[in-house]
Amino acid sequence: MKKWNWKEGQRPYKRRGGGQRHGWYRGNRQRLTQDEQSSGYNEEGPSIRPPQRRNENHQSTSSSSSSPSSSSSSKTSSAAPELPGFYFDLDKNRYFRLLPGHNNCNPLTREQLKEKEREKERNKMLAEDEKPRKKAPRKGLNTSLLLQKRHLGMLPENSYCRLVHEVKVSGMRRHQLEIQSTDNSNPNTDNFRLIVGDSACERVFTVNDVSHGGCKYGIMNFSSSSRGSLSVEMCDNLYFTNRKVNSICWASVNYPDSHVLLCLVGAADTPGCVSLLPASLFSNSNPDQPGMLCSFKISSAWSCAWCLNPQFDKTFSTGLSRRVIVKDAETGRTQTYSTGSDVLAQQFALRDPVLFNGCRSGEIFSIDLRQRGRRDQSWKASRFHQESAITSVRVLQDENYLLAADMLGQIKLWDVRATKPVQEYKGHYNEHAYLPIHVNEPEGLLLAVGQDCYTRLWSLKDGHLLRTIPSPHPAANDMIPSVVFSSKLGGCRGLPGLLMAVKHDLYYFPYNTDYQEGEEQPAGSV
């Protein structure tokens, strides 16, 4: 019998059918036998080597002076076939068993492997975001080039402003905000669930999950200083409830954004309802008259919307299971529209008293409030479909176009008149979560947070993905960030940027790259 030849990490082995079998093993450790290769074990569990192609064997046999590094790189670069119950590790060049074996005390699962890869990618993106220079959202797009084209008359004013915002978005960096409160208790101990900014983005309504069940909600007030810093103060009057908040929108009853409309889901013996709360209830000052406070016995409400059209003043809508309710908050007059599916998303148009609805079936339809409800559903002014349940609808200022997102991760821009999609925004990830989308038309931006906990920003005009922002915390279904984006965060003298609430932390992504954290708030600032 011929002895093993370990010279240069190779060993010839004659087979009865002709041909040779060779290879090297790192560290000159003893080669596994043919039976051990098919069911080997190491510290990570059972493993096997990937099969090699015969032409690769002959090529390596003829070149006996090949180095181990070149042999390893050729194996890694070659595509390893998938084997049921195994996964292939490129670093170790091995197959590892996914199912638990008789000697495997630490079994691997595909979910664990995917989670490990996602966490690795998230940490990589976080490291990239910390760099001072980031990749431009478009090839060759930078501030100096845009300014030069603007001076030469090559860019119109609207295109120049839109592209400048894209450059600013690509340069935003993360800063953590400290929430101030006059209360002795720490307001930052419960995980954020939802944040919704008012029209001026001076206030943000927050919903936090509490450890003993239910949730608490209140209002955070924002202000900016002349030095360019942003401060946030949590109101003292926090409300607690054992019910879940399904949907929120600001309501203009006495003046713009004077109230907050809440859809509360019933729990145990407590029925669900829709509450209209004055925002002054959450103020640190004590006003004499807080304003109108109402609670409507509407259970199982999925969504809500407030109408700003003067023809239907003080009117709101709620989307329920297989029906839509439109109610006058002052008189109590109610109109009911029967639908064929649960209504998960709603928004009113501004110029015309038209309500747009998104259903679990994927249908999107509009209701003209000037028409009475009929059983044959002929009151539907327009209707079109997407492939999955609609989670959010947003009407553009033109009101001839509508954005809709669904549970397949599709975001489409629809032409309401032609009832067909004219633009699609790719990259959003959603499988079953109830996730909103956000539009900032003056800056031409579309934002959405996916179920993978990534915040993505697109160009509203052409659907180009401008930025993907990872969550500062590991991804989890109960820790999906909630965001608010505004060009004037903190009021008319506010700062443009992105506000992100995740877990019990609040983060700010400003346009200003020289933003300094923790600056003192000057007296008398707004």
Side-chain angles (χ1 to χ4, degrees), residues 441-461:
E441 282 196 71
E443 301 183 3
L445 298 174
L446 169 66
L447 295 88
V449 181
Q451 197 175 340
D452 54 359
C453 297
Y454 284 93
T455 303
R456 296 174 175 86
L457 296 93
W458 293 268
S459 168
L460 187 61
K461 181 179 180 180

Side-chain angles (χ1 to χ4, degrees), residues 164-176:
V164 165
H165 285 303
E166 293 185 5
V167 175
K168 293 293 187 180
V169 162
S170 66
M172 295 188 307
R173 300 182 65 182
R174 185 180 73 253
H175 301 270
Q176 187 168 357

Side-chain angles (χ1 to χ4, degrees), residues 43 103 316 402 424 438:
E43 66 276 5
N103 282 335
F316 70 92
L402 175 137
E424 187 170 357
H438 311 271

